[in-house]
Amino acid sequence: MAAEGGGKEMNEIKTQFTTREGVYKLLTHSEYSRPNRVPFNSQGSNPVKVSFVNVNDQSGNGDRICFNVGRELYFYIYKGVRKAADLSKPIDKRIYKGTQPTCHDFNPLTATAESVSLLVGFSAGQVQLIDPIKKETSKLFNEEVGLTAFTLRLIDKSRVTCVRWVPGSESLFLVAHSSGSLYLYNVEHTCGTTPPHYQLLKQGDGYAVHTCKSKSARNPLLRWTVGEGALNEFAFSPDGKFLACASQDGFLRVFGFDAAELHGTMKSYFGGLLCVCWSPDGRYIVAGGEDDLVTVWSFSDCRVIARGHGHKSWVSVVAFDHCTTSVEDSDPPAEFSGSDEEFHEQIHFGGGRDRANSSQSHLSKRNSTDGRPVSVTYRFGSVGQDTQLCLWDLTEDILFPHLPLSRTRTHTNVMSATSPPATGAVSNSSGNSGAPANSLPAPLPRSNSLPHSSGPAGGSSIIDSTFIATGVSKFATLSLHDTRKERHEKDHKRNHSMGHISSKSSDKLNQLSSAARTAKADAAKTLGTLLCPRMEEVPLLEPLVCKKIAHERLTVLIFLEDCLVTACQEGFICTWARPGKVGLLSSQNPANSPSGTVV
């Protein structure tokens, strides 16, 4: 873990950091922001978000960047590590009245040098489809409709929290709201002039799916209600077949998207989950949130395999680095126990998206072509409201604890446990996986190796005729360590999720107190179960790098081929050159550079 020092050093903004690959450096000349470069007053504003797309420009400079700052939305040519940013020439700039952009997403399938399809979600609930190259607004979804003397938003009036194109589709997109609802739209259909009527299509533990009843095709096609409270973020698996949802109720829920079947569930250690991402091969999911932790969840085993502690406040973004994830040959192990079947399964990447990682094909195989085992290291990163960037390595001692290792490359604290394993099944009344009973867990061996077997589960497709079969894993439960539990629970008992109480009304205080007691009781039921193992029951990762890189809370972390991109709530989008890439900007024009370093 990076040393933080004390006093002045602890609060110093870092402009470079070192990993085993080399030195990452902040390129101050490649910073994007509002043209005046004045820090944005972020009080009460929605988080700054960044989206990228490549338009396959013949000039070789095909990357485009979109970002929102307050009421403003900007669209630029992104020059990355190649040239200095020229903020005086945005391709498109929009200023909105009465609402603010909250999130956006490009469709990579339809992007060309002459046209791009960009979805923009807003704080008032509407979604806009625009073409910033042609400077056109194509359509508006969930718009206000006039009814007699007033206007009404017919579908959902709450803030849009996440919007994504459905992988492999040129017309379908998914929208999440702070109401906890998720809507499937088709750009070819209208939203109608009357409120939609819904019919229950499928329901399970913590979710329900409704279809829109209408004589003619209209939006939304489907409405999902997921968990309680806001649905903060969702992410499609690399093959587009599964959907991971991070909710304010603290649950991660993973669905087979077409069949709307619940594949598995995980509960945060404390508070809501704010962000989620998939590993490049779709084997692991990382989530972060109000417990200040990053949690690694195994897709095949449906269980937490590790937690990472390095942040001092809420984790706002998690992302895998597909370029640094590595596969290495290693010496054959002396012995091997357990089934290797799942490691031979292939995950076929679909949806027409480029996979930039050349090692990805190797990640879907447990063994190399000559029969020797491979050593896998997944790199992922996180940023948070503590203004810190953390990088993490997930290595084979965590992924395959039952295999003897020739070396250990990760900073890992594996808590001791000495009792033998026990197995148990997880299912709910509707046959969906991911809803374990609230029973006391059985012990876990020191190696943290969990035996498992799989059983089929699935359902008929909702969107098309595709059938998705999902597995219900059976695995060992986890051990209890009461003395350590008390210490860790004390460390994590913070009032993050309650927010600030603005009203001094006794009724309001009583309501909040009642809600807090209910939330605490619910958390107590899941703590120590398969949904939420205790801190000492899974390996605890320490960050490879942990650096303060901004003055305001961080809201963006994106890994690109030659750099990584971060953004803070002041509206500054920063480019960090990967080792060996910084020299590409040595001949940049100083006249285009900012007057000073922001971070």
Side-chain angles (χ1 to χ4, degrees):
M1 180 175 175
E4 295 176 348
K8 182 179 178 181
E9 181 182 354
M10 189 173 182
N11 295 319
E12 181 184 352
I13 303 299
K14 305 299 182 183
T15 57
Q16 66 180 44
F17 56 86
T18 304
T19 66
R20 67 172 185 272
E21 311 92 62
V23 179
Y24 289 74
K25 294 186 177 181
L26 175 66
L27 303 180
T28 57
H29 301 298
S30 293
E31 178 188 272
Y32 287 78
S33 67
R34 297 188 299 168
N36 59 14
R37 297 189 184 276
V38 175
F40 177 69
N41 183 4
S42 61
Q43 193 71 25
S45 295
N46 290 286
V48 174
K49 298 290 185 180
V50 174
S51 296
F52 285 99
V53 70
N54 190 286
V55 298
N56 298 315
D57 193 341
Q58 296 297 326
S59 66
N61 193 14
D63 290 330
R64 303 291 183 265
I65 183 174
C66 174
F67 58 91
N68 61 286
V69 181
R71 297 186 297 113
E72 303 167 11
L73 187 73
Y74 292 93
F75 182 69
Y76 281 95
I77 294 176
Y78 179 70
K79 300 179 181 180
V81 301
R82 296 181 296 276
K83 294 182 180 179
D86 184 359
L87 300 184
S88 65
K89 298 178 180 179
I91 299 176
D92 194 14
K93 172 187 174 181
R94 301 180 182 224
I95 301 178
Y96 296 92
K97 295 182 180 180
T99 187
Q100 293 184 6
T102 58
C103 51
H104 31 84
D105 189 43
F106 288 105
N107 193 328
L109 297 182
T110 60
T112 67
E114 294 76 32
S115 175
V116 294
S117 296
L118 176 66
L119 291 169
V120 184
F122 291 89
S123 57
Q126 63 268 62
V127 178
Q128 195 177 53
L129 175 62
I130 66 175
D131 188 333
I133 295 180
K134 294 181 178 179
K135 300 185 179 181
E136 295 177 351
T137 300
S138 300
K139 290 185 178 181
L140 184 63
F141 303 91
N142 191 29
E143 69 272 48
E144 288 185 337
V145 176
L147 296 176
T148 61
F150 62 94
T151 60
L152 179 67
R153 206 169 301 285
L154 298 179
I155 297 175
D156 199 309
K157 62 182 180 180
S158 65
R159 177 173 57 93
V160 176
T161 56
C162 187
V163 60
R164 293 280 187 273
W165 290 96
V166 174
S169 175
E170 297 184 1
S171 58
L172 298 178
F173 63 93
L174 205 57
V175 182
H177 288 258
S178 59
S179 63
S181 294
L182 191 66
Y183 299 91
L184 179 67
Y185 288 84
N186 188 322
V187 295
E188 305 297 333
H189 298 165
T190 64
C191 292
T193 57
T194 58
H197 295 281
Y198 297 106
Q199 179 178 354
L200 180 64
L201 188 63
K202 182 173 292 189
Q203 66 180 11
D205 185 26
Y207 80 102
V209 182
H210 295 79
T211 183
C212 183
K213 293 179 61 179
S214 177
K215 294 181 179 179
S216 59
R218 63 163 290 179
N219 285 315
L221 305 179
L222 294 175
R223 182 187 73 181
W224 298 53
T225 53
V226 181
E228 297 179 3
L231 203 169
N232 290 319
E233 188 176 43
F234 64 84
F236 283 99
S237 61
D239 62 2
K241 294 181 178 180
F242 292 89
L243 184 71
C245 298
S247 297
Q248 189 60 36
D249 62 6
F251 280 90
L252 167 72
R253 295 176 178 87
V254 182
F255 299 95
F257 181 60
D258 286 348
E261 292 287 350
L262 185 64
H263 171 80
T265 312
M266 182 269 287
K267 176 71 170 61
S268 69
Y269 193 81
F270 176 85
L273 287 179
L274 305 178
C275 51
V276 63
C277 68
W278 292 78
S279 64
D281 57 0
R283 294 190 181 279
Y284 303 99
I285 296 173
V286 172
E290 296 175 356
D291 55 9
D292 305 352
L293 303 171
V294 292
T295 302
V296 186
W297 191 80
S298 170
F299 176 81
S300 60
D301 291 342
C302 293
R303 67 178 180 94
V304 175
I305 61 170
R307 289 192 181 103
H309 183 247
H311 287 283
K312 300 180 180 66
S313 187
W314 297 355
V315 179
S316 52
V317 182
V318 288
F320 273 87
D321 183 356
H322 56 274
C323 294
T324 309
T325 295
S326 63
V327 180
E328 303 172 7
D329 290 339
S330 60
D331 296 332
E335 62 180 13
F336 174 77
S337 61
S339 171
D340 222 16
E341 178 182 354
E342 289 185 345
F343 295 118
H344 289 287
E345 293 178 356
Q346 296 293 318
I347 294 182
H348 300 287
F349 295 98
R353 295 181 182 267
D354 278 344
R355 312 296 175 201
N357 183 11
S358 61
S359 66
Q360 220 165 268
S361 60
H362 298 288
L363 291 176
S364 59
K365 299 180 181 179
R366 177 63 186 95
N367 295 326
S368 57
T369 54
D370 59 2
R372 291 179 298 170
V374 294
S375 172
V376 179
T377 300
Y378 294 85
R379 167 71 57 80
F380 65 93
S382 58
V383 295
Q385 295 192 11
D386 57 359
T387 71
Q388 291 194 131
L389 164 69
C390 292
L391 296 182
W392 315 80
D393 274 357
L394 184 61
T395 53
E396 67 274 10
D397 56 335
I398 301 299
L399 303 175
F400 318 122
H402 51 287
L403 294 178
L405 302 175
S406 57
R407 59 191 177 280
T408 301
R409 295 197 305 273
T410 188
H411 299 281
T412 310
N413 180 12
V414 182
M415 301 294 183
S416 62
T418 57
S419 303
T423 59
V426 177
S427 62
N428 60 26
S429 59
S430 61
N432 298 328
S433 65
N438 294 323
S439 56
L440 289 176
L444 172 73
R446 180 179 177 84
S447 67
N448 201 37
S449 174
L450 302 184
H452 65 274
S453 60
S454 296
S460 57
S461 174
I462 291 178
I463 299 175
D464 55 33
S465 59
T466 306
F467 177 84
I468 296 181
T470 59
V472 180
S473 299
K474 297 180 180 180
F475 42 87
T477 52
L478 304 168
S479 61
L480 299 172
H481 294 261
D482 289 335
T483 56
R484 287 177 179 170
K485 173 202 71 174
E486 293 173 1
R487 183 177 70 251
H488 285 289
E489 288 181 341
K490 183 178 180 180
D491 291 340
H492 285 269
K493 281 183 179 177
R494 301 170 188 167
N495 200 25
H496 285 316
S497 60
M498 291 299 298
H500 296 287
I501 303 175
S502 57
S503 172
K504 296 185 181 298
S505 164
S506 60
D507 291 340
K508 183 69 173 179
L509 290 172
N510 289 337
Q511 291 175 5
L512 291 171
S513 178
S514 176
R517 287 194 298 269
T518 301
K520 186 175 181 180
D522 291 341
K525 292 179 182 179
T526 59
L527 184 62
T529 68
L530 297 170
L531 284 175
C532 181
R534 301 178 189 275
M535 291 297 291
E536 65 271 15
E537 294 169 344
V538 293
L540 186 63
L541 305 176
E542 294 182 1
L544 192 68
V545 168
C546 188
K547 299 291 184 182
K548 179 181 176 68
I549 63 169
H551 291 291
E552 288 290 334
R553 63 186 186 272
L554 293 163
T555 58
V556 171
L557 175 61
I558 300 173
F559 290 96
L560 302 177
E561 185 176 351
D562 49 14
C563 62
L564 61 91
V565 176
T566 62
C568 70
Q569 194 55 23
E570 285 184 312
F572 297 110
I573 292 87
C574 298
T575 297
W576 301 76
R578 292 184 185 270
K581 302 293 185 180
V582 68
L584 296 177
L585 264 175
S586 59
S587 60
Q588 61 190 356
N589 183 3
N592 292 332
S593 63
S595 57
T597 302
V598 175
V599 295

